[in-house]
Amino acid sequence: MSTLMIQGTTSDAGKSTLVTALCRWLRRQGVSVAPFKPQNMALNSAVTAEGGEIGRAQAVQAQAAGLAPHTDMNPVLLKPNSDIGAQVIIHGRAVTNMDAAAYHDYKRVAMDAVLESHRRLGAAYQVVVVEGAGSPAEINLRANDIANMGFAEAVDCPVILIADIDKGGVFAHLVGTLELLSPSEQARVRGFVINRFRGDIALLQPGLDWLEQRTGKPVLGVLPYLMDFHLEAEDAIDVRQSAKAEQSLRVVVPVLPRISNHTDFDPLRLHPQVDLRFVGPGQAIPGADLIILPGSKSVRADLAWLRDNGWEAAIRRHLRYGGKVLGICGGLQMLGESIADPLGLEGAAGQSDGLGLLALSTELAAEKQLRNVRGRLCLGDADISGYEIHAGISSGPALERAAVHLDDGRMDGAISEDGQVLGTYLHGLFESPAACEALLRWAGLENAQRVDYHALRERDIERLADLVEAHLDTARLHELCGLGGEHA
């Protein structure tokens, strides 16, 4: 077993992208490879085959490696539920909520889980490609680090440092990050990758020569900026859209303070007939055909935010004029009559009034529901697949008009008697082509095109592997992966 770690000079430098690219590139050569992220802080997550929860990016990397997602690929997941606190998930299961100070001390315990998962992956695969978190040069986070150099030192693996030139300051990022590392950590960095370059590479070459001379580290390659490229975001919301048809369905989504699994909307953002708008605080709420209330890590607090920002009145006005409203997971709970959190799982214990658009009530329970599911959507009897990640248990007469009939015999969600309001616990519902088409028709899009989102994701994973082959030093990558000349 060999381990190679990708660390970045900043968040969104391209770590997730490069790990995905390397996993597919190695798989093409017949190498058994697994992705790994010791610690992830994100509200976009996925459900594994064994019913655990990991970061969404690791599920995509698993696809690139040709594997089913597994909790060992992301043994520690932190899901923020306040500015200073998060739910701590170890090996796919929520164990506690902690503030940042308490977690800092807990990292010694979390490191045991990290090393345990890494050992298991190492025993099963030839190469483990590891993604760091943020930057290794965050001075205040270096003590007890398990996400970057702390992990690399513990398992004695080489590191590639990636930086995003599109942000500007790429040489300062690389040199500055290296300078802030200890001598042993500096020696662990075996080379640089520069990401998202556009322009004439000849004009960049003097800078690359200087960088290699200044640091003594090789530049392993420069990856070009990809247009019309999509990879599910680890946390940040991507507001880019593909070209739209003249007559598009207008969809708006409020950007809740604790919005979760906003990757649900990537198939809509990429759909040629959908004009998707994310609306943040202080922004005017535009007219729309469909309003979607997304998932939330703090449902009651985010519902209060919705009210404070004028969404309740906007939703009622939207419905009066014949618009449609869809709620997903926490959004479904908001559509009901009440939300109770007696254990204080997402903040102060208590109960909040819902929007009252569906006759159901929700109570948050200690045990989180984690499932991958399949079924039939009530609209057009369309095939649907998705995943459940929720602590709430909903009950009430609205559920008798189920939105989804699941293959395991359960009913999910609800649709109002007038057909204007629909809610479901299923994340990923727009990834099913038939279900996406049926939902768009329900929302008012006649002659909705069927788009295969999985095929689009697979296409872009292949494009990433092509970039590795064309723009990186593959001989050096084979060496760093412990493959020598065997696959060169």
Side-chain angles (χ1 to χ4, degrees), residues 373-375 383-387 426-432 435 454:
V373 297
R374 303 187 66 87
D383 288 330
I384 191 169
S385 61
Y387 53 101
L426 299 194
H427 293 288
L429 70 166
F430 291 112
E431 295 183 31
S432 303
H454 291 282

Side-chain angles (χ1 to χ4, degrees), residues 230 238 240-242 244 265-271 276:
H230 167 72
D238 191 339
R240 295 174 301 165
Q241 292 201 33
S242 55
K244 302 301 173 184
F265 308 112
D266 286 351
L268 298 184
R269 188 171 58 80
L270 298 173
H271 197 288
L276 178 72

Side-chain angles (χ1 to χ4, degrees), residues 137-434:
E138 304 291 353
I139 303 303
N140 57 311
L141 300 178
R142 287 175 57 81
N144 304 326
D145 171 56
I146 69 173
N148 289 300
M149 283 299 178
F151 170 81
E153 297 266 78
V155 303
D156 190 23
C157 71
V159 171
I160 293 174
L161 193 60
I162 187 170
D164 178 7
I165 196 171
D166 197 51
K167 289 185 171 73
V170 70
F171 299 112
H173 284 163
L174 289 166
V175 174
T177 298
L178 203 63
E179 288 290 333
L180 291 173
L181 302 179
S182 71
S184 66
E185 293 167 346
Q186 290 174 349
R188 197 166 294 287
V189 177
R190 304 298 174 81
F192 306 123
V193 170
I194 292 176
N195 192 27
R196 298 190 184 112
F197 176 73
R198 13 186 170 193
D200 184 351
I201 192 71
L203 297 178
L204 183 63
Q205 193 60 49
L208 304 181
D209 295 340
W210 175 90
L211 181 63
E212 293 186 340
Q213 184 177 12
R214 173 70 172 75
T215 65
K217 310 284 185 183
V219 176
L220 301 176
V222 178
L223 295 172
Y225 189 100
L226 277 183
M227 304 299 290
D228 188 30
F229 168 76
H230 167 72
L231 199 66
E232 286 166 87
E234 189 167 64
D235 212 28
I237 293 178
D238 191 339
V239 298
R240 295 174 301 165
Q241 292 201 33
S242 55
K244 302 301 173 184
E246 190 171 323
Q247 298 297 322
S248 297
L249 187 81
R250 299 169 301 161
V251 180
V252 298
V253 180
V255 181
L256 306 173
R258 299 295 166 199
I259 187 173
S260 66
N261 287 74
H262 59 71
T263 50
D264 285 339
F265 308 112
D266 286 351
L268 298 184
R269 188 171 58 80
L270 298 173
H271 197 288
Q273 296 171 290
V274 176
D275 177 12
L276 178 72
R277 304 290 176 91
F278 288 104
V279 181
Q283 295 180 309
I285 302 171
D289 301 295
L290 173 64
I291 293 175
I292 306 180
L293 301 184
S296 165
K297 189 65 191 72
S298 298
V299 182
R300 292 172 60 225
D302 279 352
L303 178 55
W305 180 91
L306 275 179
R307 288 189 163 112
D308 291 343
N309 283 268
W311 279 93
E312 182 168 20
I315 289 170
R316 296 191 187 284
R317 183 172 59 251
H318 170 77
L319 289 171
R320 283 198 303 273
Y321 284 93
K324 302 293 175 61
V325 174
L326 170 64
I328 301 174
C329 197
L332 161 66
Q333 296 169 359
M334 293 178 188
L335 293 174
E337 295 171 340
S338 66
I339 305 164
D341 185 4
L343 302 177
L345 298 173
E346 295 185 350
Q351 180 171 309
S352 300
D353 291 335
L355 298 174
L357 300 177
L358 291 173
L360 60 87
S361 298
T362 300
E363 181 170 310
L364 303 188
E367 185 175 353
K368 188 182 291 190
Q369 307 295 308
L370 297 165
R371 301 183 189 89
N372 289 304
V373 297
R374 303 187 66 87
R376 308 286 294 179
L377 186 66
C378 67
L379 304 171
D381 198 33
D383 288 330
I384 191 169
S385 61
Y387 53 101
E388 295 180 55
I389 304 176
H390 57 96
I393 304 295
S394 298
S395 60
L399 301 175
E400 295 173 9
R401 293 176 53 87
V404 181
H405 296 250
L406 297 170
D407 287 352
D408 61 15
R410 294 179 301 122
M411 303 295 183
D412 170 79
I415 185 167
S416 62
E417 290 188 14
D418 63 8
Q420 281 188 265
V421 180
L422 187 149
T424 176
Y425 271 116
L426 299 194
H427 293 288
L429 70 166
F430 291 112
E431 295 183 31
S432 303

Side-chain angles (χ1 to χ4, degrees), residues 20-59:
T20 304
L22 291 174
C23 284
R24 178 53 58 90
W25 174 70
L26 289 167
R27 183 193 175 203
R28 282 180 176 179
Q29 299 165 74
V31 176
S32 64
V33 56
F36 183 69
K37 182 154 185 166
Q39 174 188 289
N40 197 346
M41 178 176 282
L43 289 175
N44 289 336
S45 57
V47 178
T48 64
E50 72 274 28
E53 188 176 4
I54 64 172
R56 191 81 190 150
Q58 280 62 65

Side-chain angles (χ1 to χ4, degrees), residues 120-137:
R120 283 196 289 258
L121 290 178
Y125 300 97
Q126 289 174 268
V127 179
V128 178
V129 184
V130 185
E131 179 185 340
S135 161

